[in-house]
């Protein structure tokens, strides 16, 4: 499972999110996997953490990792979490799997003083080339699935995501492109060269 | 007052490895192991507790006592009223879950334990776990309420009512003084158990176990004797129960669960009732439990989160219904083992 956060070093977006966490911050990770990222945030960044995870097996591994976790299907309302009750709400490469990404975004911006969302860029040149020259659904290290077995039902591009954030009236505090190979070009033309992006969002 | 209890494992030098296990409605103090090798059955949670098991008695000191009002050694309706020299029967005061917890607190004080590592229990045991966390917030590092609720539902109260009605309408009931009349409302108690037993199962588990199978016959008898396997099974459960349990105790203990409402600590406000808890929580529910359904645990978890308490919640996917808390040994065992190990580590690090 790619969300197991096992190779923290391999996930540049998680490094970026980690750098956004201040000591003693209350951090909520939606779709926290086995909790190893939250464990890192607590042990190395001094955060107070909570994870939500739908998969019972991964919940068990969070417990082993000593990370507080609530087994929850967050396509059901998160209304029990109070407004601004967390300093940072994290959604890392999870949005594309959710049924109503726009509603979920509104929820996390409500719950968190800030929200860090890591999105996969479907407009990365590798995806574009696979579609254009091979005529096949793109597969990349970020989206390694076949069209028939993918959990990703709402993939977007960086530009798409930015547009949605504007439509929903969020303030985009920061936008950090996640490069695979061309860091400078990724900064200049993220929607073509970056494999993903981390957005730091806030309710206006 | 008398309290029967059993222990397993050894209390460590600083007394930091003690775990209180609380039994469910009809359990007793005999929680694990066998008293003698000839015993037919080990303690009621032997699959979970013992050397190398989920709650490892090589590491932890485990305590389990029979609840107040019980019929397995602790003071209850069967005990002798010192004023009359006769058994209390129905003159025993109606007790609450909070009373049961007070009795356990007296035991823990008696044992000289300043702070428990954990308080663990399922079903009615889980109610007491919650009561512990609210009433004595600094007495434990963590709590593990399993397959339980913060307040008895109308459905739960309804089943308890029918159970007691079955007992009290048995001609041998004699207003609770059946012993003095050389009688026993065994049929009533058996029926009460059969009804309750259904609430511990699920449609799925009953279908899987019995379906429409017939018991030792090829075709329907077209009378009212046992035809179906499920009928024989319930009858057997009822009979077995009558041999080990007392009708008055059953009335008193079920009544205590009816009255259980954690929100009574704060005028019906669960969030406020949990305001002062200090323990870390591991809340566990089971997907097919319809007696204390996952929604009840959700309510607890939400209220704890509102209070910014440290809480972990797992809803175990299981077809066993309420009984899953005794049957899902592997899943529950590894969760509890890991959780306790981390809690113990935190205690040692302080």
């Amino acid at each position: 499972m790619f969300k197991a956060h096992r190779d923290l070093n391999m996930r540049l977006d998680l490094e970026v999110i980690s750098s956004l966490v201040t000591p003693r911050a209350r951090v909520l990770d939606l779709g926290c996997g086995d909790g190893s990222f939250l464990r890192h945030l607590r042990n190395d960044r001094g955060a107070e953490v909570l994870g939500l995870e739908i998969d019972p097996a991964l919940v068990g591994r969070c417990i082993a990792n000593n990370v507080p976790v609530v087994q929850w299907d967050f396509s059901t309302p998160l209304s029990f979490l109070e407004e601004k009750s967390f300093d940072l709400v994290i959604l890392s490469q999870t949005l594309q799997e959710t049924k109503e990404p726009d509603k979920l975004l509104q929820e996390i911006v409500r719950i968190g003083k800030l929200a860090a969302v890591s999105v996969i860029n479907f407009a990365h040149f590798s995806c574009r080339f696979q579609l254009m020259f091979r005529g096949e659904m793109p597969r990349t290290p970020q989206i390694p699935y076949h069209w028939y077995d993918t959990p990703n039902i709402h993939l977007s591009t960086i530009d798409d995501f930015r547009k949605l954030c504007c439509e929903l009236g969020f303030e985009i505090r920061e936008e950090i492109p996640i490069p695979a190979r061309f860091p400078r070009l990724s900064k200049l033309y993220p929607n073509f060269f970056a494999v993903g992006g981390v957005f730091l969002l806030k309710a206006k | 007052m008398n309290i029967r209890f059993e222990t397993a494992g050894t209390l460590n030098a600083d007394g930091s490895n003690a775990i209180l296990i609380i039994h469910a409605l009809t359990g007793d103090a005999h929680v694990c192991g066998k008293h003698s090798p000839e015993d037919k059955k080990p303690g009621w949670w032997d699959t979970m507790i013992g050397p190398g098991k989920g709650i490892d008695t090589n590491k932890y000191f485990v305590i389990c006592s029979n609840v107040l009002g019980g019929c397995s050694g602790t003071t209850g309706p069967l005990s002798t009223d010192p004023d009359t020299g006769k058994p209390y029967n129905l003159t025993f005061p109606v007790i609450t879950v909070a009373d049961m917890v007070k009795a356990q607190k007296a035991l823990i004080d008696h044992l000289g334990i300043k702070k428990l590592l954990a308080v663990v229990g399922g079903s009615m045991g889980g109610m007491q776990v919650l009561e512990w966390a609210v009433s004595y917030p600094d007495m434990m590092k963590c709590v593990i309420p399993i397959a339980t609720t913060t307040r008895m539902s109308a459905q739960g109260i309804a089943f308890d009512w029918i159970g007691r009605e079955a007992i009290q309408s048995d001609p041998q009931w004699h207003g609770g003084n059946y012993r003095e009349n050389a009688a026993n409302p065994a049929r009533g108690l058996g029926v009460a158990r059969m009804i309750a037993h259904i609430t511990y199962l699920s449609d799925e588990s009953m279908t899987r176990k019995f379906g429409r199978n017939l018991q030792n016959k090829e075709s329907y008898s077209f009378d009212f004797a046992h035809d179906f396997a499920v009928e024989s099974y319930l009858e057997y459960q009822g009979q077995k129960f009558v041999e080990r349990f007392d009708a008055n105790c059953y009335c008193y203990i079920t009544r205590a669960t009816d009255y259980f409402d954690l929100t009574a600590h704060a005028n019906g406000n669960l969030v406020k009732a949990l305001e002062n808890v200090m323990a870390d929580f591991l809340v566990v529910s089971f997907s097919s439990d319809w007696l204390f359904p996952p929604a009840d645990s959700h309510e607890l978890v939400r209220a704890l989160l509102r209070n910014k308490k440290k809480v972990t919640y797992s809803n175990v996917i299981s077809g066993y219904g309420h009984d899953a808390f005794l049957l899902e040994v592997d899943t529950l065992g590894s969760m509890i083992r890991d959780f306790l190990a981390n809690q113990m580590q935190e205690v040692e690090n302080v």
Side-chain angles (χ1 to χ4, degrees), chain A residues 5-82:
Chain A
H5 299 330
R6 239 167 303 167
D7 303 315
L8 288 186
N9 301 326
M10 304 288 289
R11 288 272 307 266
L12 191 54
D13 61 326
L14 294 182
E15 267 179 55
V16 168
I17 293 173
S18 173
S19 71
L20 298 169
V21 173
T22 51
R24 279 188 299 283
R26 255 174 74 77
V27 175
L28 173 70
D29 186 0
L30 299 187
C32 66
D34 71 353
S36 51
F37 182 53
L38 282 178
R39 187 182 55 180
H40 153 76
L41 292 183
R42 186 191 54 210
N43 294 354
D44 305 330
R45 308 287 305 169
E48 189 191 322
V49 300
L50 174 70
L52 295 195
E53 176 56 53
I54 188 173
D55 182 336
L58 290 174
V59 167
R61 287 173 54 194
C62 286
I63 294 172
N65 276 326
N66 198 16
V67 165
V69 61
V70 170
Q71 188 176 323
W72 200 263
D73 173 2
F74 47 82
S75 64
T76 61
L78 295 170
S79 46
F80 63 97
L81 294 171
E82 272 176 297

Side-chain angles (χ1 to χ4, degrees), chain A residues 26 42 48 50 52 56 59-60 63-72 79-82 84-86, chain B residues 282 298 301-302 305-306 308-317 334-336 338-339 342-343 346:
Chain A
R26 255 174 74 77
R42 186 191 54 210
E48 189 191 322
L50 174 70
L52 295 195
V59 167
I63 294 172
N65 276 326
N66 198 16
V67 165
V69 61
V70 170
Q71 188 176 323
W72 200 263
S79 46
F80 63 97
L81 294 171
E82 272 176 297
K84 307 270 175 286
S85 54
F86 288 87
Chain B
L282 171 60
H298 291 176
V301 170
R302 283 195 295 257
L305 287 177
R306 284 244 164 171
K308 302 192 174 165
K309 305 294 179 191
K310 217 168 132 192
V311 52
T312 286
Y313 167 60
S314 171
N315 180 37
V316 176
I317 309 302
S334 67
M335 261 190 306
I336 290 180
D338 291 340
F339 187 76
N342 285 320
Q343 291 289 323
E346 285 179 15

Side-chain angles (χ1 to χ4, degrees), chain A residues 108-166:
Chain A
I108 66 168
V109 164
R110 176 185 69 80
I111 297 160
K113 290 172 190 156
L114 289 168
V117 183
S118 159
V119 294
I120 295 166
N121 180 22
F122 201 66
H124 180 248
F125 64 81
S126 159
C127 294
R128 297 189 191 209
F129 289 164
Q130 286 182 59
L131 204 55
M132 184 147 183
F133 296 115
R134 289 167 54 190
E136 289 175 358
M137 284 300 282
R139 291 173 65 199
T140 69
Q142 285 74 38
I143 37 173
Y145 307 100
H146 300 96
W147 65 271
Y148 52 85
D149 62 11
T150 183
N152 298 326
I153 52 175
H154 283 123
L155 282 161
S156 74
T157 71
I158 288 182
D159 284 1
D160 284 334
F161 185 76
R162 196 186 302 113
K163 219 182 278 172
L164 177 63
C165 288
C166 292

